[in-house]
Amino acid sequence: MAGPTGRGSSLGAALGDLLRSQVTPRHRLSTYTAQHWHAQLSQLTGTRRGYQALEDGGLGVTTQTLINWLSDPEYNVRRSYRDIIHTAYENAAIVPADPIPDHVKRGQFEISGIVKTGDDERERGNRRAAPLRIDGSRGTWDTIEELWPAGELADDEFEGLFIDDVIVADVGEGTDGWEFPGTSNAVELR
């Protein structure tokens, strides 16, 4: 295989692996581990990203109030403000996924592994059978693009959407739908 390749125990896992090799997925920054409101506020006020999260969260206090809070971890801060700080902290901790690039959506996919349609089940991408070739540009990526940034694209859902929205759009329903029942799949992007 010559292009970027994703591998996994299912087609969805292989697709996810391929996509993560091309773009940054949604993830939590490992440095955001503070539990107490004061530690969270201290970390937030140390970065532009943190200040933006506080502003976006609606923390409307004076600079003097903020200084008072930061100078005393036992300061009596109202629950509503602690909730805003916590929400801002969680929002700053999450890095959104990069959008799916056009070269992926327009790419040519070569799927290797067990492929089944109707009674025809065979291993593709070996010496006896070419990989299943799919033209991604013929598919509809809307639902996949909605779920990817939110980090809500589980392997089985990715597989189902890819089959319904990309494979079927390119090569049709197959004899009786498409299945990828193997435990070792690879997807190459060309």
Side-chain angles (χ1 to χ4, degrees):
M1 295 191 167
T5 303
R7 299 181 191 286
S9 58
S10 67
L11 175 62
L15 288 164
D17 185 50
L18 173 66
L19 194 52
R20 285 187 298 278
S21 77
Q22 298 300 297
V23 294
T24 302
R26 182 179 194 261
H27 64 283
R28 183 179 180 89
L29 295 171
S30 62
T31 56
Y32 281 75
T33 58
Q35 299 296 315
H36 190 266
W37 71 266
H38 186 264
Q40 291 176 347
L41 182 62
S42 295
Q43 189 170 0
L44 287 170
T45 56
T47 65
R48 183 177 314 218
R49 176 186 183 85
Y51 270 111
Q52 186 64 50
L54 286 168
E55 184 178 309
D56 293 346
L59 184 67
V61 296
T62 65
T63 304
Q64 186 58 49
T65 299
L66 200 55
I67 291 170
N68 290 343
W69 290 356
L70 289 168
S71 64
D72 183 5
E74 300 303 317
Y75 196 93
N76 189 17
V77 175
R78 279 190 275 164
R79 178 79 178 155
S80 61
Y81 286 135
R82 289 194 316 253
D83 289 345
I84 290 171
I85 292 167
H86 177 72
T87 300
Y89 189 78
E90 290 303 309
N91 290 340
I94 300 298
V95 177
D98 292 335
I100 299 173
D102 288 339
H103 78 272
V104 171
K105 295 182 290 187
R106 292 187 192 133
Q108 303 296 310
F109 294 85
E110 291 190 355
I111 301 170
S112 299
I114 304 292
V115 177
K116 180 179 180 183
T117 181
D119 293 333
D120 181 13
E121 181 175 322
R122 66 181 114 159
E123 185 171 349
R124 304 290 299 257
N126 59 29
R127 290 190 303 189
R128 292 182 307 242
L132 177 62
R133 291 184 173 94
I134 302 299
D135 181 355
S137 68
R138 301 183 89 183
T140 304
W141 290 82
D142 297 343
T143 305
I144 294 170
E145 286 184 293
E146 286 175 22
L147 296 173
W148 168 253
E152 298 174 359
L153 194 56
D155 292 345
D156 57 341
E157 189 171 17
F158 198 175
E159 181 171 322
L161 290 169
F162 191 80
I163 290 169
D164 293 344
D165 298 346
V166 181
I167 293 176
V168 170
D170 183 33
V171 296
E173 289 284 344
T175 307
D176 190 21
W178 292 96
E179 294 178 51
F180 298 84
T183 58
S184 178
N185 293 273
V187 180
E188 180 183 359
L189 180 63
R190 291 186 168 258

